[in-house]
């Protein structure tokens, strides 16, 4: 694999890059402010993306998407990640949910949820994390669903359900096999589609993250009843479906983080050229050049690790070591590069006068969601050492 952007992908990647830098990024102040003006601005961006053939590029063509193959879309995702609004403007925020439904949904579920998702007519949400347990061990999930006749009755408590306040439905991970033995604990959970207007579905609050008002919601499920047909995929296979969702999803996260890191790197380097102190540009200072070197090395390493993981997934591997590694390295890299850019900007970097203050707070959250760093580090170390315990090794050139 060549880690350069393939020639066949370059035109669409360039088009997305131009859309991000010329339209989405300049619209950020309005979008940050929220309210009717932000909604109108986002609608306009979405309409422009559709008109220019940039809508839902990673969704399968048979669903109405752009049909880009996985590896091609990985490169596009990199520049789409420059802004937190890239996914919304380009209709890709539904990709993980759409692919999950495409693989596991019944015909009725596809008609009700999948087709509107790809069109951007409705928003999805996904509920796994619970406040009462350590969600890094999801086998502890307490939210339970009991089959009562032809209905599931769901009771439980979730939070960090992204987008619940505007979503049409939530995919809820819940325990359906109450008597499953410990050795089969990962087959005790199922996914159930719950419309957000169902009685008993109660949004307790939106939870700001590091001061950013967002769409992370705390939700109570109080005797929520939905048809038995709302089960997604086979009963007891919730974790199997989740793993298929999360693996490629983490690669998409990491590529978007690289887009953010690129933007922070650009801001830092341009500031070093323009700003003077003690009679010369900051770019002439050795300690400032250290920031450039460290950021270059970390971005390049994270990028190659991520593309290597994407290649492994595309070849059919679960790539658990590779994906675990990039989740940690990608989040750390993003945090470190933005941190250095803030340092170069000085006091201005702490204010909303640059994009860096919001980028920094989002970056810190990346080390926790989709599994905290510590869990991924432990899992990667355990799997590699397992190869040696079995009499093998980890030959990098052959992996």
């Amino acid at each position: 694999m060549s880690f350069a952007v393939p020639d066949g992908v370059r035109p669409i990647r360039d088009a997305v890059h131009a859309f991000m830098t010329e339209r989405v990024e300049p619209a950020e102040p309005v979008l940050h402010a929220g309210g009717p003006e932000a909604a109108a601005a986002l609608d306009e961006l979405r309409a422009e993306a559709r008109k220019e053939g940039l809508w839902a590029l990673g969704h399968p063509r048979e669903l109405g998407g752009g049909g880009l193959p996985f590896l091609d879309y990985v490169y596009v995702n990199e520049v789409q990640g420059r802004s937190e609004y890239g996914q919304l403007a380009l209709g890709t925020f539904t990709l993980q949910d759409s692919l999950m439904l495409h693989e596991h949904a019944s015909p009725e579920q596809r008609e009700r949820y999948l087709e509107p998702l790809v069109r951007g007519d409705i928003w999805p949400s996904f509920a796994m994390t619970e406040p009462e347990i350590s969600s890094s061990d999801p086998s502890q999930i307490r939210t339970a669903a009991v089959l009562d006749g032809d209905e599931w009755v769901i009771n439980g408590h979730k939070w960090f359900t992204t987008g619940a306040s505007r979503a049409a439905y939530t995919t809820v991970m819940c325990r359906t096999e109450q008597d499953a033995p410990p050795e089969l604990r990962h087959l005790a959970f199922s996914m159930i589609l719950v419309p957000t207007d169902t009685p008993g579905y109660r949004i307790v609050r939106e939870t700001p993250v590091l001061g950013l008002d967002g769409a992370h919601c705390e939700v109570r499920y109080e005797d929520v009843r939905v048809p038995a047909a709302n089960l997604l995929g086979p009963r007891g296979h919730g974790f199997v479906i989740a793993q298929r969702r999360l693996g490629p999803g983490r690669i998409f996260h990491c590529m978007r983080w690289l887009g953010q890191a690129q933007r922070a790197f650009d801001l830092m380097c341009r500031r070093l050229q323009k700003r003077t102190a003690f009679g010369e540009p900051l770019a002439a200072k050795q300690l400032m050049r250290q920031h450039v070197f460290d950021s270059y090395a970390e971005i390049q390493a994270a990028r190659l690790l991520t593309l290597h993981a994407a290649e492994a997934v595309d070849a059919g591997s679960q790539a658990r070591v590779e994906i675990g590694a990039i989740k940690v390295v990608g989040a750390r890299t993003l945090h470190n590069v933005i941190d250095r850019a803030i340092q170069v900007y000085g006091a201005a970097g702490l204010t909303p006068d640059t994009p860096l203050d919001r980028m920094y707070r989002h970056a810190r959250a990346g080390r926790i969601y989709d599994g905290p760093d510590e869990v991924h580090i432990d899992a990667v170390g355990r799997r590699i050492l397992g190869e040696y315990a079995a009499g093998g090794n980890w030959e990098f050139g052959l992996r």
Side-chain angles (χ1 to χ4, degrees):
M1 176 180 181
S2 170
F3 292 111
V5 180
D7 291 342
V9 182
R10 186 62 185 269
I12 192 68
R13 186 183 187 273
D14 288 348
V16 172
H17 186 276
F19 191 87
M20 295 299 303
T21 57
E22 296 171 11
R23 304 188 201 182
V24 178
E25 291 174 29
E28 285 178 341
V30 174
L31 296 171
H32 291 333
E37 289 187 7
L42 183 57
D43 285 345
E44 183 177 350
L45 288 170
R46 287 153 65 92
E48 291 174 354
R50 287 188 176 94
K51 182 179 179 181
E52 297 180 24
L54 302 178
W55 181 260
L57 291 173
H59 291 67
R61 194 174 298 279
E62 63 267 26
L63 300 180
L68 280 184
F70 173 73
L71 277 179
D72 290 355
Y73 179 67
V74 164
Y75 290 102
V76 173
N77 215 25
E78 182 177 14
V79 291
Q80 177 189 258
R82 290 179 58 91
S83 171
E84 63 188 273
Y85 300 104
Q87 292 188 87
L88 300 177
L90 295 169
T92 62
F93 67 99
T94 67
L95 181 59
Q96 283 182 265
D97 293 270
S98 296
L99 293 178
M100 182 174 67
L101 291 177
H102 189 38
E103 184 171 358
H104 299 287
S106 67
E108 180 184 353
Q109 292 168 350
R110 294 173 69 90
E111 181 180 356
R112 181 170 181 180
Y113 298 113
L114 181 54
E115 295 172 14
L117 269 185
V118 178
R119 292 195 302 266
D121 294 342
I122 63 172
W123 295 57
S125 56
F126 186 81
M128 179 178 282
T129 305
E130 299 182 1
E132 289 85 8
I133 64 166
S134 171
S135 293
S136 57
D137 178 8
S139 65
Q140 299 183 92
I141 285 174
R142 296 178 183 176
T143 297
V146 177
L147 198 57
D148 180 19
D150 60 356
E151 289 184 322
W152 289 106
V153 182
I154 304 172
N155 283 280
H157 187 195
K158 300 284 189 180
W159 69 342
F160 286 85
T161 302
T162 304
S165 58
R166 53 188 170 186
Y169 73 99
T170 299
T171 305
V172 183
M173 176 75 85
C174 50
R175 182 183 291 273
T176 54
E177 315 312 307
Q178 311 303 328
D179 300 322
E183 64 272 17
L184 296 178
R185 65 186 183 279
H186 287 103
L187 294 176
F189 302 89
S190 302
M191 288 189 183
I192 298 176
L193 305 178
V194 179
T196 54
D197 60 357
T198 304
Y201 183 104
R202 181 167 64 88
I203 295 178
V204 178
R205 59 172 175 156
E206 289 191 358
T207 308
V209 175
L210 294 177
L212 295 174
D213 292 330
H216 302 287
C217 294
E218 180 181 353
V219 182
R220 291 274 186 183
Y221 297 80
E222 299 166 342
D223 289 328
V224 172
R225 287 181 171 268
V226 297
N230 281 31
L231 181 72
L232 181 66
R235 179 170 172 168
H237 282 229
F239 279 128
V240 176
I241 297 172
Q243 282 300 322
R244 293 180 66 86
R245 168 195 171 94
L246 289 173
R250 285 173 177 144
I251 290 175
F252 296 150
H253 277 320
C254 290
M255 291 305 289
R256 287 195 300 272
W257 288 342
L258 286 166
Q260 287 273 289
Q262 174 74 63
R263 188 178 179 187
F265 187 76
D266 292 343
L267 287 166
M268 178 178 69
C269 291
R270 288 170 183 147
R271 176 76 166 186
L272 290 173
Q273 295 291 347
K274 294 179 180 178
R275 194 74 164 179
T276 60
F278 305 104
E280 61 182 356
L282 288 179
K285 311 292 186 184
Q286 287 185 338
L287 284 176
M288 295 295 102
R289 292 173 181 170
Q290 178 81 45
H291 290 324
V292 175
F293 173 86
D294 289 341
S295 297
Y296 165 82
E298 290 183 9
I299 291 172
Q300 188 73 322
R303 189 172 188 276
L304 297 183
L305 278 170
T306 304
L307 291 173
H308 174 66
E311 183 186 43
V313 169
D314 194 56
S317 170
Q318 290 187 341
R320 291 186 174 178
V321 166
E322 293 82 357
I323 290 173
I326 66 167
K327 172 61 172 64
V328 175
V329 173
R332 286 180 176 177
T333 295
L334 178 60
H335 177 273
N336 292 345
V337 173
I338 296 171
D339 185 75
R340 295 186 194 107
I342 290 173
Q343 196 69 16
V344 166
Y345 269 84
L350 303 175
T351 73
D353 289 356
T354 78
L356 295 169
D357 73 318
R358 288 182 66 95
M359 291 167 64
Y360 189 74
R361 287 178 279 170
H362 281 302
R364 184 60 185 85
R367 293 176 55 198
I368 294 176
Y369 64 70
D370 268 10
D373 286 1
E374 292 80 3
V375 171
H376 293 291
I377 291 168
D378 180 71
V380 168
R382 184 177 68 251
R383 289 192 172 99
I384 291 175
L385 289 173
E387 295 285 336
Y388 286 86
N393 69 346
W394 195 271
E395 179 69 33
F396 287 94
L398 301 179
R399 293 283 177 171

